[in-house]
Amino acid sequence: MIANPTTDKRLTGAQFIIRLLRHHGVDTVFGLSGNGMLGLFDAALDHELRIIDMRHESAVVEAAGGRALASRQTQVCFVTEGPGLSNALGGIAAMNHDGIPVIVITNCESDELFGTGTFQEMDQVAMAKPISKWSAKIHDAAHLSDWIARAFRQARAGVPGSVVLTVPNHILLADCAAEGVELRTPTFSRATTECVPSAFFAELVLAKLRSAQKPLLLVGSGAYWDRADAALLQFVRRTGIPVGTCDLARVLIDDKEDLCLGDGRPFMLPPSLMQADVVFVLGERIDYMFDFGRRWSTDTAFIQVYSDPVEIGRSVDVEVSSTANTRLVLEAMTAALGDEAWPIGPWARQAVNESRQHRIEALGDLSDNPSGGIHPAAVALEVEELAGPEATIVIDGANCANWARLALRARRSDHYLEWGRLGMIGMGLPYALGAKTVRPLSPVILIVGDGSLGFHFMELETAIRHNLPVIVVVCNDSGWGIERHFQRGIFGRETCTSLSTVAYDEMATCLGGLGLSVATRADLRDALVEALECGRPALINAHTQDVADPLTKRVTKVLARKYLNRPQPPTTAGR
């Protein structure tokens, strides 16, 4: 930092942090004000930093996550100390588990007072450490620029995740820099984090794939953050290998592409694809989402590229592996092909045809039920058809979200958002708000279950207050759908799964938005047209059928075996 001798005016720590954030390209943050954070909120006014203030701290973090997903850039949010940070822990855990780069800046009491029983005193660094990628406390104002740069580096390097940076009040309030200070990005922050694959690795993988009779490419979130879209499409077209996309990578390649299988998670693929002899997992962990690799034949060979070496081979033996950047891996292999182009063989055609037929059969009959409303998959299909190619679709919930995943076809990069591996529902509305700040002129539509909507319903008021005209389509079956079906299938009865039939449309109207209620597919169509044209936040209360999705049915069978065929406890006879 170089001070400008022509001015004596000093910046407080809070003002300097805002300047540093602007220097790192941040123009929008999400937050919820509190006593210790007042200086940051005030300083934002002087530096053209937009703050979307919200109603709950977990939603604050999740909205930053939605913005990160829509922009593929690290985002920042502010929450106050103590209970403010503890409220945010769910969002912090979800961002970290789902690999989304979000920096949470919070405050705490000054160092000399810690341990004396001050207001809202907690060991915040320790509290956030187990559920974040990095949790740290700034101890001196002289190195604020280094701390902020390190936070950005930690959030994005390797596998992305959440960072929690705690700033003591005395640093936020103290003079720490001259107003004319020249901001410089530390060298360590500018250094590249892209791991380059070797030519030997590229040739080795190609040799494995070339000799395979039934190769399969499954692409995950790492490729999303590595911006491997174009490289993936080129590689698939050159090699003729069928490809399935998983997690955040669902938007990297259009499902209508000739070789695209759609959702590549093994429980969404037809059983015949479990006979693949080589499975190339690119940018993804082989965890429960892949049934730990157990669904494939014991003779299947695995290739894995993932930036965290600890995850490679953790659940299944991997023959060839790398921690290299997925985009660079694809580019290196495509370059190594030279003029060679592999034909689309019978295995690839079979894999694609069977995957598409498997989806059609799983969807089944989507007709309206006169006594039970709209089929939840039909809700997703209507949204997809009427929203247009520029729309961002967000899905949230369990049973209704599973139907939406099955029905929706991936179309465009960054335009399909959903909760990830942690399985934390309720994030949909904050995600939608975050995405809308990135795409103010394009539709952002949330498909959400009535149970999930209850977590952060009041963020609809946030949308109205900040003029973020998202559209919320509630699949209202008056219950916790997936739990209801689990209990029915396992125990033959249910408890604590029913919710009131709430007029969410009337609640939206009371808040100042557009509220509509529908019970047929035709009425839903009309409501979507009205919502898309109204120019303000809208909520469509769609009364939907109580019908279990195919994945829920399969999981129910697994749970039934677990609960009903559980081993008996050891005998205590003779004691």
Side-chain angles (χ1 to χ4, degrees):
M1 296 184 298
I2 302 174
N4 184 344
T6 63
T7 179
D8 294 324
K9 186 175 180 181
R10 306 288 292 175
L11 297 173
T12 65
Q15 292 169 331
F16 192 43
I17 288 173
I18 296 296
R19 282 199 59 188
L20 289 167
L21 293 178
R22 296 293 286 125
H23 177 67
H24 281 273
V26 177
D27 58 17
T28 300
V29 301
F30 302 84
L32 205 165
S33 184
N35 291 352
M37 302 292 283
L38 296 178
L40 279 172
F41 278 71
D42 179 73
L45 295 172
D46 298 323
H47 293 84
E48 297 181 348
L49 179 64
R50 182 189 188 190
I51 298 182
I52 307 295
D53 59 305
M54 303 184 69
R55 304 294 292 257
H56 192 280
E57 286 87 355
S58 188
V60 164
V61 181
E62 295 154 19
R67 183 174 169 85
L69 288 172
S71 64
R72 287 200 241 188
Q73 295 177 348
T74 302
Q75 301 298 329
V76 178
C77 61
F78 298 155
V79 301
T80 193
E81 64 187 316
L85 181 62
S86 63
N87 273 349
L89 292 180
I92 292 169
M95 296 307 103
N96 195 56
H97 207 84
D98 298 347
I100 301 171
V102 171
I103 298 171
V104 181
I105 297 179
T106 185
N107 69 296
C108 69
E109 193 49 84
S110 302
D111 287 346
E112 66 272 15
L113 297 176
F114 186 79
T116 63
T118 58
F119 180 58
Q120 298 185 336
E121 180 180 297
M122 295 182 183
D123 188 348
Q124 298 183 172
V125 174
M127 183 166 64
K129 188 174 182 180
I131 59 170
S132 63
K133 187 177 179 185
W134 188 56
S135 176
K137 182 179 179 180
I138 296 176
H139 291 287
D140 64 288
H143 296 92
L144 268 176
S145 60
D146 288 346
W147 283 103
I148 296 297
R150 188 171 293 120
F152 276 91
R153 179 64 174 265
Q154 288 280 358
R156 188 59 190 86
V159 180
S162 57
V163 163
V164 180
L165 197 58
T166 299
V167 189
N169 290 338
H170 70 276
I171 292 179
L172 289 173
L173 297 173
D175 292 342
C176 73
E179 184 180 47
V181 68
E182 179 184 337
L183 302 182
R184 291 179 176 174
T185 304
T187 302
F188 72 82
S189 182
R190 295 197 303 268
T192 181
T193 59
E194 293 185 341
C195 182
V196 181
S198 66
F200 173 76
F201 173 78
E203 293 285 1
L204 184 60
V205 173
L206 282 177
K208 281 281 185 185
L209 294 173
R210 188 183 284 110
S211 63
Q213 298 298 309
K214 299 178 178 179
L216 193 61
L217 173 59
L218 301 177
V219 183
S221 298
Y224 177 82
W225 294 112
D226 290 342
R227 298 181 181 271
D229 316 42
L232 173 63
L233 184 59
Q234 185 180 19
F235 178 76
V236 168
R237 288 177 174 176
R238 290 284 301 278
T239 60
I241 297 175
V243 57
T245 53
C246 317
D247 212 354
L248 300 181
R250 280 293 290 127
V251 293
L252 288 189
I253 190 169
D254 194 313
D255 281 352
K256 293 181 180 179
E257 181 67 24
D258 287 346
L259 289 159
C260 188
L261 306 172
D263 194 329
R265 293 172 296 176
F267 45 79
M268 299 297 284
L269 294 173
S272 60
L273 268 64
M274 299 305 105
Q275 298 305 311
D277 54 359
V278 175
V279 175
F280 182 9
V281 181
L282 183 74
E284 197 59 276
R285 292 173 279 184
I286 304 176
D287 58 5
Y288 83 94
M289 283 272 196
F290 284 78
D291 197 21
F292 308 100
R294 295 177 298 203
R295 285 181 181 255
W296 280 279
S297 164
T298 54
D299 296 328
T300 299
F302 284 89
I303 302 168
Q304 187 178 14
V305 174
Y306 193 64
S307 55
D308 183 357
V310 174
E311 291 290 338
I312 292 179
R314 189 172 73 162
S315 301
V316 66
D317 290 337
V318 174
E319 292 195 7
V320 184
S321 65
S322 174
T323 59
N325 179 285
T326 59
R327 175 178 52 80
L328 298 181
V329 166
L330 291 167
E331 290 174 349
M333 290 192 297
T334 301
L337 284 170
D339 296 329
E340 185 181 0
W342 302 351
I344 299 177
W347 159 255
R349 297 186 189 282
Q350 173 193 341
V352 173
N353 292 337
E354 290 189 8
S355 294
R356 294 177 179 177
Q357 185 61 33
H358 183 69
R359 169 183 173 265
I360 293 171
E361 293 173 357
L363 284 172
D365 182 10
L366 304 184
S367 303
D368 289 351
N369 183 332
S371 61
I374 313 168
H375 195 290
V379 171
L381 291 174
E382 291 298 336
V383 167
E384 182 177 51
E385 181 179 344
L386 291 170
E390 297 298 321
T392 298
I393 299 176
V394 184
I395 61 176
D396 181 20
N399 189 61
C400 85
N402 285 340
W403 278 118
R405 287 190 195 96
L406 185 61
L408 294 172
R409 313 302 285 157
R411 297 176 298 174
R412 289 196 57 183
S413 294
D414 317 321
H415 284 61
Y416 176 90
L417 312 182
E418 61 170 311
W419 53 258
R421 277 180 150 70
L422 189 60
M424 192 173 95
I425 61 175
M427 300 194 296
L429 187 49
Y431 265 19
L433 299 188
K436 192 62 176 178
T437 64
V438 178
R439 304 193 182 101
L441 301 180
S442 300
V444 174
I445 304 178
L446 165 66
I447 302 171
V448 60
D450 54 328
S452 293
L453 180 65
F455 284 98
H456 293 307
F457 178 85
M458 283 307 293
E459 301 305 342
L460 189 60
E461 185 274 335
T462 301
I464 293 165
R465 180 162 34 89
H466 285 279
N467 191 27
L468 298 171
V470 297
I471 299 172
V472 179
V473 182
V474 188
C475 293
N476 190 350
D477 62 0
S478 303
W480 298 101
I482 197 168
E483 299 303 323
R484 174 187 287 159
H485 295 298
F486 284 160
Q487 291 185 22
R488 287 174 183 170
I490 298 168
F491 304 112
R493 58 183 181 177
E494 60 186 87
T495 181
C496 303
T497 62
S498 295
L499 298 172
S500 301
T501 304
V502 177
Y504 295 107
D505 51 305
E506 295 181 14
M507 295 172 65
T509 301
C510 288
L511 292 173
L514 172 67
L516 301 166
S517 180
V518 299
T520 69
R521 194 164 175 175
D523 288 343
L524 173 61
R525 241 177 260 127
D526 293 340
L528 282 166
V529 171
E530 185 175 351
L532 287 163
E533 293 175 350
C534 77
R536 57 190 169 123
L539 184 146
I540 300 172
N541 190 14
H543 297 276
T544 53
Q545 299 170 26
D546 177 19
V547 54
D549 71 277
L551 176 59
T552 296
K553 290 178 180 178
R554 289 197 293 272
V555 174
T556 300
K557 292 179 181 179
V558 174
L559 292 177
R561 290 194 296 269
K562 177 181 176 182
Y563 280 97
L564 302 181
N565 299 323
R566 59 188 182 277
Q568 297 300 311
T571 180
T572 56
R575 289 190 179 179

